[in-house]
Amino acid sequence: MAYGSFAISSKALVFCRPCYGGSIRDLPFSLRTPTIGRCGCVGAIAAPRNLVKPRKEESSGKDIRGGRKSKDKTTPWKKLDANEFGIQRSMIPESTRMVLNKLRKKGFQVYLVGGCVRDLILDRIPKDFDVITSAELKEVRQVFPRCQIVGRRFPICHVYVDDIIIEVSSFSTSARTGKTPNKNFRKPVGCNERDYIRWKNCLQRDFTVNGLMFDPLENVVYDYIGGVEDIKNSKVRTVSAAKLSFIEDKARILRAIRIAARLGFSLTKDVAVSVKELSTSLLRLDPVYLSFFSLVLLLLARFGLNIFSRLLQSRVQMEINYMLAYGSAEASLRLLWRFGLMEILLPIQASYFVSQGFRRRDGRSNMLLSMFRNLDRLVAPDRPCAELLWIGILAFHKALVDQPRDPTVVASYCLAIYSDISLSEAMEIAKSNTKQHNSNFQELSAQDKDIAGSKLSQQVMSLAESVKSAAKKMHDRDYLANAMSKYPQAPSSDMVFMSRPLLERVQRMFGSVRRKGDGERGVPSLDRRINYKSLALGDFHETRRVFARIVFDTVYPPKI
């Protein structure tokens, strides 16, 4: 950045609260400092100062062994003031605060734990808020009679607040079911019993950035394994050795990609190497199991028909949904491709990337990435879409790859999908469209200005049928196994991530257009406000509208 006649590095420019003159939370994390006082911000052309100056745990004063490259490398044991990160209690949803307060009033210790603490530090909206308590799970049930204990290997409580589920785990359960701490991790010297319980629980976490605890009452963040340091350095690091961590839980491979994509972090060297080495182990990922009682209770929670597909989904689908439905789909796809995971999870799309001449670190874009970029602009961690939407995008794109279509055909299909107007009306509006389509996409054929009438109608209906066929191919093990047959050096995968009921819903939603409409008349507005609750539940009409908007904005990009 230039200021007058001199230049200053944005990394060396650090604002304090008084000099910035606003909320410190309006600044990116890399430009924050907890300093309150004079600093001479603009003139500070110095090396970047420490962004967080934590005070060490008074009872400890010493370091603990951490899961780093060398056994001699230590990780400071830290107790941090949450105000230094700009965290306020008001940032915690009322439903979560209610659960915390009720358990606290009963005399139990309660903390927020995991990714929500990381996101609060980064000034991001957490996907959800997980609670851990000193109460036994049966004691949690006494406080919340409607709650349900779920899980066999790692049981937790689902506490229902209206139609929201708050996951509550117990220190005692974690201690019984968790692994024994690695011998390289040494108990902090001089720590009291509460410190030791917190420390031991953090060692059972997957990544250091997820191993933070936040006490909202004391307004303190506990960092026993270097999570804050890795957040500062934008690193995804496993708590234990990466290879052992991924062998223990194969889903952590996908979680590492998801965290890196969502936060813009990079993987540490050992994590990156282990992700590549163990990529094929995802073929043996265990499915999700739910108890009968949790199934009944979830159905009664009024989450809509979408709950059936969620209950039947595989663990892989759940992890892919976390990647693609919460606002970081494009980055996730790029990382899946870069680390060779796309061939395992999405072989059809991997074949497309190869046919496009995409290299592992390719910075270019294509139609598939462009559609998911437009999806990312509309969704976020607190307003996700149902998996129906991104599966529909994959199926639609596959249909265009198999047979490129005239932009007018695509526009007519989108308009018919969007507003349920008659096909003839959709075609008439599409023909009058004066916007310039993106001619860089090979999935779009040369525009025929004379296409109209029955010929246009037949091609639109053909496109709808092609989308249904493409979705079916994504559910066909034999087709998936042969998707990369042109590239024998690639691993073969016949992994099907969606259930039969979900496939049928996708086909009904995107594989049909109305010849006679009963929707709105006139030119529909693609800027209509999105009903995010309906979108998250997989509502038929809302999902179709958002899908059509994404496709239309990709084919006819708005002028900037």
Side-chain angles (χ1 to χ4, degrees), residues 154-175:
F154 301 106
I156 60 173
C157 268
H158 278 177
V159 177
Y160 299 88
V161 183
D162 297 327
D163 60 350
I164 299 172
I165 298 177
I166 309 296
E167 290 190 357
V168 180
S169 58
S170 170
F171 280 117
S172 59
T173 303
S174 300

Side-chain angles (χ1 to χ4, degrees), residues 287-310:
V288 174
Y289 294 101
L290 290 174
S291 71
F292 171 77
F293 294 105
S294 63
L295 168 62
V296 174
L297 204 55
L298 283 169
L299 290 174
L300 295 177
R302 294 190 305 171
F303 277 101
L305 292 175
N306 185 50
I307 191 64
F308 288 104
S309 61
R310 287 190 179 279

Side-chain angles (χ1 to χ4, degrees), residues 239-255:
V239 174
S240 57
K243 191 169 185 178
L244 293 177
S245 180
F246 293 155
I247 291 175
E248 180 183 55
D249 184 355
K250 303 173 187 65
R252 289 176 179 171
I253 296 173
L254 300 181
R255 241 172 275 149

Side-chain angles (χ1 to χ4, degrees), residues 272-340:
V273 170
S274 298
V275 164
K276 291 182 178 180
E277 288 182 354
L278 300 174
S279 60
T280 56
S281 68
L282 293 174
L283 293 168
R284 300 183 299 277
L285 194 61
D286 297 329
V288 174
Y289 294 101
L290 290 174
S291 71
F292 171 77
F293 294 105
S294 63
L295 168 62
V296 174
L297 204 55
L298 283 169
L299 290 174
L300 295 177
R302 294 190 305 171
F303 277 101
L305 292 175
N306 185 50
I307 191 64
F308 288 104
S309 61
R310 287 190 179 279
L311 292 172
L312 294 170
Q313 71 186 359
S314 67
R315 195 173 181 187
V316 171
Q317 182 190 321
M318 181 176 69
E319 292 294 340
I320 298 177
N321 189 59
Y322 285 148
M323 291 183 191
L324 303 185
Y326 289 82
S328 56
E330 182 192 5
S332 296
L333 289 174
R334 288 185 181 276
L335 287 177
L336 288 175
W337 173 246
R338 175 180 169 183
F339 288 99

